[in-house]
Amino acid sequence: MAPSEFSVDFDERVAIVTGASGALGSAVVERFDDAGATVCAVDVVAPDDEDSHLEITDDVHFYEGDLTDEADVERLVSDIVDDHGRIDHLLNIAGTWRGGDPIEDTDLEEFELLVNVNLQTAFLASKHALPHLQETEGSIVSVSARSSLEGGEGDGPYRITKAGIRLLTETIAEENTGTVRANAVMPSVIDTPMNREMMSDSDHDEWVDPADIADVMAFLCSDGASVTSGGAVPVYGEA
C-alpha cells in the first residue's frame, strides 16, 4: 500500500482499532501506525490466520477478544490501559454484511448476529473506552453505511444496524460535547477481496480503496477536525 500524501501526527497517542484483521481494519491500523500512533489492534481473528490482512510492527499490538461479550471488552480495555497508560482514539470497524430475506422471513438468529456484530461491538467498545477518552479529550470514529440512510430490499437488518451506528455516534457526540468527539464514516462499496468475490461482475474501478477511507478516519481523529463531532461523513467515491 502506497504511503498517503495526507499528513497527520499521532505521536505518543494510543489508538484502538476493532475489526483490525479485516481489509478496512488493517488499512486503518497501517494508517495510524504510519502516523506514529501506538496501535492496539483488536479482533477475534489472529494475525497468523489465513483470513487476516493484519501486519504486526513494533508499534502495533494485537489483542484477541470477543467484542460482543461485555466482560471481554472490559478486560481488553483494562489490559490496553495497563499496557499503554491511555486511550486517545477508538476506531469502531468490527462488523459484517449479510443479505437476506424480507422481514417476515428473517430468522431471529440472523437479525441478532447483525445487531451483535455491527452495533453491540461499537456500543460496548465505546462504553468502556469513553472514561479513558474523556481523560485525554480523545475521539471515536465508527463505520456506518450509505445504505443505512433508507430502507431497502434484501438487507434490511444490515441497514438497521448501520443506522444504529449513526445514532450511537450522534448520541455520544451530544453527551460529550467539548470533551470527546464522535463521528462516523459512511462507505458505499469498499474494494475488498471479499466484495470482489461476492460481486465479481461489478465495476471494481468505481469502488473505494480501504486506504482512502483510512485517510478520512485519520483526519477525523486529528486536530484538523477539532470542530467536527456528530458527523456522518460520506466516503462513497464513485460507487
Side-chain angles (χ1 to χ4, degrees):
M1 190 178 298
S4 172
E5 296 179 1
F6 169 65
S7 177
V8 291
D9 183 4
F10 293 140
D11 188 41
E12 298 185 356
R13 297 189 191 180
V14 177
I16 298 176
V17 180
T18 75
S21 293
L24 178 57
S26 62
V28 173
V29 167
E30 182 176 347
R31 186 67 185 87
F32 277 70
D33 183 26
D34 288 346
T38 297
V39 184
C40 302
V42 177
D43 210 307
V44 291
V45 178
D48 58 358
D49 190 287
E50 63 179 10
D51 293 327
S52 176
H53 299 266
L54 181 64
E55 293 185 12
I56 299 299
T57 69
D58 290 343
D59 290 315
V60 174
H61 309 270
F62 181 72
Y63 293 81
E64 186 169 352
D66 180 0
L67 291 165
T68 68
D69 182 307
E70 182 161 23
D72 217 12
V73 175
E74 190 170 10
R75 174 193 62 80
L76 280 166
V77 170
S78 178
D79 287 349
I80 288 168
V81 174
D82 286 347
D83 291 345
H84 306 291
R86 60 189 290 143
I87 301 171
D88 296 275
H89 309 295
L90 170 63
L91 296 311
N92 284 317
I93 299 170
T96 189
W97 182 86
R98 292 287 190 281
D101 300 313
I103 293 299
E104 70 269 23
D105 297 322
T106 298
D107 291 336
L108 177 60
E109 291 79 6
E110 185 80 1
F111 182 78
E112 288 178 333
L113 170 71
L114 287 161
V115 170
N116 291 341
V117 175
N118 289 346
L119 186 53
Q120 186 165 305
T121 57
F123 166 75
L124 288 174
S126 299
K127 173 183 175 179
H128 290 282
L130 267 167
H132 306 284
L133 292 167
Q134 288 161 352
E135 291 180 3
T136 60
E137 298 188 356
S139 60
I140 298 173
V141 182
S142 302
V143 179
S144 182
R146 179 171 68 177
S147 61
S148 74
L149 293 171
E150 59 185 5
E153 185 178 355
D155 62 350
Y158 172 81
R159 293 173 186 246
I160 290 165
T161 58
K162 288 298 186 178
I165 289 285
R166 193 173 70 256
L167 291 171
L168 174 66
T169 297
E170 293 172 1
T171 300
I172 292 171
E174 229 10 76
E175 292 176 346
N176 292 272
T177 301
T179 307
V180 177
R181 294 184 298 106
N183 293 286
V185 293
M186 303 183 62
S188 49
V189 184
I190 306 174
D191 190 2
T192 67
M194 181 178 294
N195 283 342
R196 283 182 177 246
E197 183 177 339
M198 289 192 302
M199 296 176 275
S200 57
D201 294 332
S202 299
D203 184 357
H204 305 152
D205 292 338
E206 294 183 351
W207 295 358
V208 181
D209 192 312
D212 293 329
I213 298 175
D215 263 349
V216 176
M217 297 181 80
F219 171 72
L220 289 170
C221 288
S222 74
D223 294 340
S226 62
V227 296
T228 303
S229 191
V233 181
V235 285
Y236 307 159
E238 298 177 10

